[in-house]
Amino acid sequence: MSKLIYNLVEYLKGFVVNERKELFENRILQRTKHLTIVLENIFQGRNISASIRSADCFGIQDVHIIENDNIFNDDSEVSMGAEKWITTFRYNNKKNNTVDALKDLKSKGYQIIVTTPHNTNCNLDDLDVTNKIALVFGSEVKGCSEEALKYADKRMRIPSYGFTESFNVSVSVSLCLQHLTHKMRKTKVNWNLTLEQQNKILLKWLRSSIKASKEIEDKFLSEYNS
């Protein structure tokens, strides 16, 4: 399957202008799954859309959205189309989806770092980016749930020096990602995507960029399998 995807990606590259092809090839080398963000039960859709935009800007490929009470609808004026370039995982099959989401991330080797201004045991500057990190951000009013706090490997505070207790959710996401991606890129940690991951994402990007991509792809597959 990976060889097929590689050949399909190379074929579809011929249907985009060189500037876009080169942009895709450059950007995929800057993408990472080493860091990811988890947005738990966010009420305002624009905060999720702004977080998705920040994830794209900082090269974060995966965004996990937990929809316990609040259903996410993208605000395209805020996300500016960023949702086309990142991969979203939505957890909304149960009344409370937090445990399933965090269990899944732990099984994939992620440390669960819950952001909270209360009862913390580290701050943003302390985080070691050697191991994979899933940053959890809670709802605007209540913050992260008790379930998220129970599954946390660490409870992290974002340093602040004013009277307001915490930052806006999407601002918190941007602050954390700016700091941690900068720190990550300065290390010798292998934070890059595998070649197979790169090709799967490139395929998604190309499909979103090519008109009649399905017809073009079907023609390729017909010839490839004949």
Side-chain angles (χ1 to χ4, degrees):
M1 178 60 73
S2 58
K3 183 179 179 181
L4 171 59
I5 291 175
Y6 170 80
N7 289 329
L8 178 57
V9 165
E10 292 303 304
Y11 179 74
L12 291 178
K13 283 180 182 178
F15 292 86
V16 296
V17 296
N18 283 335
E19 290 82 0
R20 172 146 289 207
K21 179 174 77 73
E22 291 171 3
L23 180 64
F24 283 177
E25 291 172 344
N26 175 269
R27 290 293 184 265
I28 199 66
L29 297 177
Q30 302 303 321
R31 272 327 214 228
T32 188
K33 290 174 177 276
H34 190 76
L35 302 175
T36 190
I37 61 171
V38 183
L39 306 171
E40 185 196 28
N41 213 31
I42 306 298
F43 173 69
Q44 295 182 330
R46 65 175 180 269
N47 278 328
I48 299 180
S49 296
S51 298
I52 287 172
R53 183 175 176 180
S54 292
D56 173 53
C57 287
F58 288 113
I60 304 299
Q61 185 58 38
D62 295 343
V63 173
H64 301 262
I65 304 171
I66 299 172
E67 301 167 90
N68 291 333
D69 304 310
N70 306 311
I71 303 302
F72 168 57
N73 292 299
D74 181 53
D75 188 330
S76 58
E77 291 186 2
V78 177
S79 66
M80 298 295 288
E83 70 283 350
K84 291 192 300 185
W85 315 120
I86 59 102
T87 304
T88 55
F89 298 87
R90 298 176 67 172
Y91 305 84
N92 51 23
N93 291 325
K94 298 180 179 179
K95 183 176 180 180
N96 191 321
N97 303 277
T98 298
V99 172
D100 286 351
L102 299 187
K103 274 186 176 180
D104 181 55
L105 286 164
K106 279 201 172 191
S107 73
K108 294 173 181 173
Y110 285 95
Q111 304 173 76
I112 306 300
I113 309 297
V114 171
T115 58
T116 176
H118 306 119
N119 301 317
T120 59
N121 50 24
C122 70
N123 67 39
L124 179 58
D125 296 329
D126 299 329
L127 279 187
D128 181 0
V129 295
T130 303
N131 297 314
K132 293 163 69 176
I133 291 175
L135 288 166
V136 185
F137 301 86
S139 65
E140 292 86 344
V141 177
K142 295 181 179 180
C144 291
S145 68
E146 285 299 318
E147 289 81 7
L149 292 168
K150 287 176 184 177
Y151 269 82
D153 294 299
K154 291 182 179 178
R155 300 181 180 194
M156 185 195 74
R157 181 182 182 87
I158 302 171
S160 63
Y161 308 97
F163 295 99
T164 308
E165 183 178 72
S166 61
F167 296 94
N168 168 274
V169 173
S170 61
V171 172
S172 296
V173 169
S174 294
L175 288 170
C176 290
L177 292 185
Q178 193 283 330
H179 179 80
L180 294 176
T181 56
H182 177 71
K183 193 173 183 178
M184 177 193 73
R185 292 173 193 277
K186 289 173 66 178
T187 70
K188 294 182 180 180
V189 172
N190 183 18
W191 50 265
N192 303 90
L193 300 173
T194 66
L195 288 176
E196 185 171 356
Q197 289 171 336
Q198 289 180 28
N199 281 318
K200 286 181 179 179
I201 294 164
L202 282 170
L203 180 57
K204 177 179 184 287
W205 292 354
L206 288 162
R207 283 170 171 167
S208 70
S209 302
I210 300 169
K211 290 183 178 180
S213 63
K214 187 179 185 307
E215 289 79 1
I216 294 170
E217 189 172 333
D218 287 345
K219 180 181 178 183
F220 168 83
L221 292 173
S222 176
E223 294 174 355
Y224 186 88
N225 293 320
S226 62

